C-alpha cells in the first residue's frame, strides 16, 4: 500500500488513491481487470475559490462498482485557494469522503456529480445516471416539492405564508383610487403609515421582512405540531369522554334556552307605516309595475303547481328542488315570498301561504342547516310578514326558529358555527373554510333579525348573542383596518387574511350600516365600525380602471385580485344609503361613489349578449367588466344590481335607474322566462340559452320586490321607516323614547 503522504502531485489529498485505499475502496480497474492509470483531473473555471476557477476538478472515483464518494470538509488545497471555508464564497469544501449511493454500475448521484464536474459523458457510462435512478430521483424530488407546497397551503393562515414568502409585494404599489379620502382620513395618518411600512422593512429592508416571515412560519408550524401532539397523546377513552361532555353541555344549553321561553309576551301590534299600495300617477310607470306583478304571479303559480311545500322550483323539469342549505326544513319559497305577496297586494296568495305555514312549517327536524341562510330567509321572512300583517303565527314561528338557532353560538368565543344540526344542537363549520373558521358574512349577518327577536320575545338573549360578536371583533387587530373573511370560533382569531366586499364578506358591512339606521341612529358603535370599514375599503380595495370604471377588488394577504363579483354590486346602494350619516363634507362623495359602482355593474350587464350580469367580472388582461372564466359566466337570477338601482332611484330620482331596471326586466322576460317559471342561465355571453333549471327563492323575495319598488312611489315602504335585511325583508326602525335617546347621546 502506498504511503498516505505520497499523494500524486496536483491531486487533492482527499482524492488520491492512497486515500481511497485508506478508506477501504478498491482501486478502479478496466473491464479486463487491469488497474486504471492515475490521471490528472480535468480543469474547470472557478471564481473566488468556487467551481468556476481553472483548477483540477474531482473525477469519478470508481468505474466498475463499489461505493461512490462525495467530497466534504474544509481542508486547504487547490479547491479552496488555501483560504478558510468561511471566506471562500461558493467553494466546494474538501477533506473527507461521504458515501452517497452504492450501485453496481458506479452510477447514481455520485457518478452523476463526478461526470458533471469533470465534463464527463451525458448519455451512458459510469458518470451518468441510469434511467431507473433518474426516475427514482424524480419521484423523490416531486414528493418533496408536493410536501413543501402542501405544508404551505394547509398550514393555519396559509395566505400569509404565501404572500409573505412566495409572493411578497408592497400593497403601496397598487394604484390608488381617484377618490377623496374617507371619513376621518388625515394627511398625517398617511405619512405615519408610510413611516411604519419603512420601519417594518417594506420595501427598504428585505432581510427584516424575510426574518419576520420565517418567524411567522416557524410559529405556525410549532402551534400546529403542539395541537396535533396534544390530540395524539389522548387515549381513545379520553377523546370519547370529551365528545360526550360536549354533547351533554350542548343538551343542557338547549334546555336552558327553551326554559327561557315558556310563552311569548303580549305585544301591541302597531299598524305599519307606508304599506298603502297606491297606483303611480304616470301611466307608463303604472304599466311597467303591473308587468312586474305579472312576473311574480308567473313565478308563484308555477311554484304552487309543481313544487308546493318544497323549498324551490325546477322550472324546466317542472318539479321541486331542495337545497342542502335548509336541511329537512321545507317551504323556503313560501316563507321568502310572503312579504312580496303582501306588498304587491296578492291577498289570496298571501293567505294560502299563511295557511301552509300554520299547518306544515316544522323546525323539529334531524338535519344540518346553514345558520346564515335559515336566518335571512326563514327568520327574516317570518319577521317581516308579522310586521306587515300583524298575524301572530308569524311572530310565534320566528321566535321558535330563533330559539332553535341559539346552540350555534355555543363556542368558546361566542362566534357561531356556520352549520347546525337542528335536533342535536351540534354545530360545525364548512370544511373548506380556512382552518375551521366561521365566515364573516355569515356570523355578521344575524344582527338585524336577532335584535327584532329580542324585541318581539321580550328576552334579551338574542341581542346579547349578536352584541358579543361585536365585542370579539372590536378586540381584534384589523389588518390595514380591514375585516378578513375568516374568524376561528374556538380561538377567536382571524384565519386567512382574505378580504372581500363580495362573497364571504358582503352583508357584514351592510348590517353595520343598517344596525345603526334600524336603531333610529342611536347605535353609535355600529356607525363608527361602518365608516371606519368604508374608509379602509376605499383606501385598499376601490380602484378605477383605465376606462374610467370604479370597481371593488378583493384583497388576499396584501395582494389585490382585480375581480368584482355580482354580489359586490349591492355596495353601490350601501354607499348611497350611508351618505346621509357621513360628515357633511363627505356626504356627496359617498352618493357619487354609489353612482359609480351602479354604473360599473350596469356595464357588466350591458357587455353580455343577454344583457344580464355574470357571477363575477374582471379588470385585468386588457378586459373591463367582463367575465373571463367559464365558471364566472352564469346568472342565477341574482338581485344585487337592481337592489343598487332601487336605492339610487329613491335617493336621487335620476331617471336612468328606472331605465336600467327596465332593461333588466326585458332581459329576464326574454332569456329567463320559461313555461314553468324563471330559470337561471349557465352563460350570459352566448346566443342560445342554457338553463340551470332552478328558480331561486330569492328571485321572488328580492329581485322582483326591488324591481316593483323602483316603479312604485317612494311612500311604499319609505326608507326612513323601513330597513331591508340582506334578503330584502323589510323590518321597521325600532324607535326609542326620546328620553332614552338623549341619555345615550350624552
Amino acid at each position: 500500500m502506498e504511503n498516505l503522504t505520497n499523494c500524486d502531485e496536483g491531486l487533492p489529498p482527499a482524492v488520491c488513491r492512497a486515500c481511497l485505499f485508506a478508506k477501504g475502496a478498491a482501486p478502479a480497474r478496466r473491464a479486463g481487470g487491469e488497474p486504471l492509470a492515475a490521471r490528472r483531473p480535468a480543469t474547470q473555471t472557478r471564481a473566488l475559490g468556487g467551481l468556476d476557477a481553472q483548477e483540477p476538478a474531482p473525477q469519478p472515483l470508481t468505474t466498475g462498482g463499489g461505493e461512490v464518494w462525495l467530497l466534504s470538509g474544509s481542508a486547504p488545497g487547490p479547491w479552496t485557494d488555501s483560504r478558510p471555508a468561511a471566506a471562500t464564497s461558493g467553494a466546494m469544501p474538501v477533506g473527507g469522503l461521504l458515501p452517497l449511493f452504492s450501485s453496481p454500475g458506479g452510477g447514481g448521484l455520485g457518478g452523476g456529480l463526478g461526470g458533471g464536474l469533470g465534463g464527463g459523458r451525458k448519455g451512458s457510462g459510469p458518470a451518468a445516471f441510469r434511467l431507473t435512478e433518474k426516475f427514482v430521483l424524480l419521484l423523490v424530488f416531486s414528493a418533496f416539492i408536493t410536501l413543501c407546497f402542501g405544508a404551505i397551503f394547509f398550514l393555519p393562515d396559509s395566505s400569509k405564508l404565501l404572500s409573505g414568502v412566495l409572493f411578497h409585494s408592497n400593497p403601496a404599489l397598487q394604484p390608488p383610487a381617484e377618490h377623496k379620502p374617507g371619513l376621518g382620513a388625515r394627511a398625517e395618518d398617511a405619512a405615519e403609515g408610510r413611516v411604519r411600512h419603512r420601519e417594518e422593512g417594506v420595501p427598504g429592508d428585505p432581510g427584516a421582512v424575510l426574518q419576520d416571515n420565517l418567524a411567522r412560519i416557524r410559529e405556525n408550524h410549532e402551534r400546529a405540531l403542539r395541537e396535533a401532539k396534544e390530540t395524539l397523546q389522548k387515549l381513545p377513552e379520553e377523546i370519547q369522554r370529551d365528545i360526550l361532555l360536549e354533547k351533554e353541555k350542548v343538551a343542557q344549553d338547549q334546555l336552558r334556552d327553551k326554559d327561557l321561553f315558556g310563552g311569548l309576551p303580549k305585544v301591541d301590534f302597531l299598524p305599519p307605516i307606508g304599506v298603502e299600495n297606491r297606483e303611480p300617477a304616470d301611466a307608463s310607470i303604472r304599466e311597467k309595475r303591473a308587468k312586474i306583478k305579472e312576473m311574480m304571479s308567473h313565478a308563484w303559480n308555477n311554484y304552487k303547481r309543481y313544487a308546493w311545500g318544497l323549498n324551490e322550483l325546477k322550472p324546466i323539469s317542472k318539479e321541486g328542488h331542495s337545497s342542502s342549505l335548509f336541511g329537512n326544513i321545507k317551504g323556503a319559497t313560501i316563507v321568502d315570498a310572503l312579504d312580496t305577496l303582501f306588498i304587491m297586494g296578492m291577498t289570496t296568495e298571501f293567505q294560502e301561504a299563511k295557511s301552509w305555514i300554520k299547518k306544515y312549517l316544522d323546525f323539529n327536524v334531524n338535519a344540518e342547516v346553514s345558520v346564515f341562510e335559515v336566518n335571512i330567509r326563514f327568520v327574516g321572512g317570518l319577521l317581516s310578514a308579522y310586521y306587515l300583517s300583524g298575524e301572530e303565527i308569524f311572530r310565534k314561528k320566528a321566535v321558535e326558529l330563533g330559539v332553535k338557532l341559539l346552540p350555534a353560538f355555543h363556542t368558546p368565543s361566542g362566534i357561531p358555527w356556520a352549520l347546525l344540526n337542528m335536533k342535536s344542537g351540534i354545530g360545525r363549520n364548512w370544511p373548506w373554510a380556512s382552518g375551521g373558521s366561521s365566515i364573516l358574512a355569515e356570523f355578521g349577518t344575524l344582527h338585524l333579525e336577532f335584535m327584532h327577536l329580542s324585541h318581539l320575545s321580550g328576552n334579551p338573549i338574542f341581542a346579547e348573542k349578536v352584541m358579543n360578536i361585536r365585542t370579539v371583533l372590536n378586540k381584534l387587530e384589523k389588518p390595514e383596518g380591514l375585516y378578513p373573511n375568516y374568524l376561528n370560533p374556538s380561538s377567536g382569531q382571524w384565519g386567512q387574511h382574505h378580504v372581500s366586499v363580495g362573497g364571504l364578506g358582503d352583508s357584514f358591512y351592510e348590517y353595520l350600516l343598517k344596525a345603526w339606521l334600524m336603531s333610529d341612529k342611536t347605535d353609535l358603535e355600529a356607525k363608527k365600525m361602518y365608516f371606519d370599514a368604508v374608509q379602509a375599503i376605499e383606501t385598499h380595495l376601490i380602484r378605477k380602471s383605465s376606462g374610467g370604471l370604479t370597481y371593488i377588488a378583493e384583497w388576499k394577504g396584501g395582494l389585490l385580485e382585480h375581480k368584482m363579483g355580482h354580489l359586490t354590486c349591492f355596495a353601490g346602494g350601501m354607499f348611497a344609503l350611508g351618505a346621509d350619516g357621513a360628515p357633511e363634507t363627505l356626504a356627496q362623495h359617498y352618493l357619487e361613489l354609489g353612482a359609480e359602482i351602479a354604473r360599473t355593474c350596469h356595464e357588466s350587464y350591458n357587455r353580455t349578449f343577454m344583457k344580464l350580469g355574470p357571477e363575477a367580472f374582471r379588470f385585468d388582461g386588457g378586459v373591463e367588466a367582463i367575465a373571463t372564466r367559464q365558471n364566472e359566466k352564469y346568472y342565477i337570477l341574482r338581485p344585487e344590481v337592481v337592489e343598487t338601482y332601487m336605492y339610487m332611484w329613491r335617493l336621487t330620482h335620476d331617471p336612468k335607474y328606472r331605465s336600467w331596471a327596465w332593461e333588466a326586466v326585458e332581459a329576464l322576460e326574454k332569456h329567463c322566462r320559461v313555461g314553468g317559471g324563471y330559470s337561471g342561465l349557465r352563460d350570459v355571453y352566448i346566443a342560445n340559452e342554457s338553463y340551470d333549471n332552478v328558480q331561486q327563492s330569492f328571485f321572488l323575495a328580492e329581485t322582483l320586490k326591488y324591481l316593483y319598488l323602483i316603479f312604485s312611489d317612494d311612500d311604499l315602504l319609505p326608507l326612513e321607516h323601513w330597513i331591508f335585511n340582506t334578503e330584502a325583508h323589510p323590518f321597521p326602525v325600532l324607535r326609542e323614547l326620546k328620553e332614552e335617546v338623549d341619555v345615550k347621546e350624552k
Side-chain angles (χ1 to χ4, degrees), residues 404-657:
K404 286 278 189 181
L405 296 179
L406 285 175
F409 292 85
H410 297 157
T411 65
S413 65
I415 298 296
W417 299 112
L419 302 169
L420 179 71
N421 185 290
M422 296 287 281
K423 183 176 181 180
S424 69
I426 299 295
R428 69 182 179 98
N429 278 332
W430 298 105
W432 48 263
S434 167
S437 293
S438 298
I439 307 299
L440 181 69
E442 296 193 338
F443 67 76
T445 310
L446 303 169
H447 193 95
L448 304 186
E449 295 82 1
F450 273 55
M451 294 300 287
H452 273 283
L453 286 174
S454 279
H455 178 70
L456 292 180
S457 68
N459 196 296
I461 188 171
F462 299 105
E464 290 169 358
K465 296 294 186 184
V466 291
M467 292 305 293
N468 176 67
I469 293 175
R470 277 216 206 143
T471 301
V472 174
L473 291 175
N474 283 329
K475 288 179 181 177
L476 292 172
E477 182 181 352
K478 286 81 178 174
E480 306 293 346
L482 298 166
Y483 289 83
N485 293 337
Y486 301 104
L487 181 62
N488 190 294
S490 298
S491 65
Q493 299 297 315
W494 299 119
Q496 289 180 332
H497 282 193
H498 291 184
V499 178
S500 170
V501 184
L504 306 183
D506 48 6
S507 46
F508 165 74
Y509 305 99
E510 174 189 359
Y511 270 39
L512 289 179
L513 171 63
K514 291 181 176 179
W516 172 59
L517 295 173
M518 195 180 75
S519 71
D520 201 15
K521 300 183 179 180
T522 62
D523 187 351
L524 301 181
E525 181 182 50
K527 178 183 179 182
K528 181 181 186 308
M529 291 174 71
Y530 169 74
F531 281 108
D532 286 350
V534 167
Q535 178 184 334
I537 289 167
E538 271 209 271
T539 303
H540 299 287
L541 304 184
I542 295 182
R543 295 290 181 263
K544 183 166 284 192
S545 71
S546 58
L549 295 178
T550 300
Y551 63 96
I552 308 175
E554 298 187 2
W555 193 84
K556 297 188 175 181
L559 301 176
L560 280 185
E561 183 178 11
H562 297 272
K563 176 185 80 170
M564 185 170 173
H566 194 292
L567 288 166
T568 319
C569 285
F570 89 97
M574 179 183 73
F575 291 140
L577 184 63
D580 184 54
E584 189 174 342
T585 55
L586 290 173
Q588 185 62 30
H589 164 67
Y590 285 127
L591 194 62
E592 291 171 359
L593 179 58
E596 291 178 28
I597 297 297
R599 173 173 168 255
T600 297
C601 293
H602 175 257
E603 283 300 310
S604 76
Y605 273 51
N606 202 43
R607 297 181 185 191
T608 70
F609 178 84
M610 296 185 179
K611 305 305 178 185
L612 293 167
E615 182 67 8
F617 44 93
R618 296 182 178 266
F619 294 85
D620 53 21
V623 302
E624 293 189 5
I626 293 176
T628 58
R629 303 181 184 182
Q630 190 58 42
N631 63 354
E632 297 173 347
K633 295 181 178 180
Y634 61 90
Y635 172 72
I636 57 172
L637 308 174
R638 286 203 185 276
E640 290 77 21
V641 173
V642 295
E643 175 185 354
T644 281
Y645 294 167
M646 190 277 289
Y647 283 111
M648 295 307 302
W649 163 253
R650 285 282 182 98
L651 296 169
T652 68
H653 286 158
D654 187 329
K656 72 182 177 186
Y657 297 114

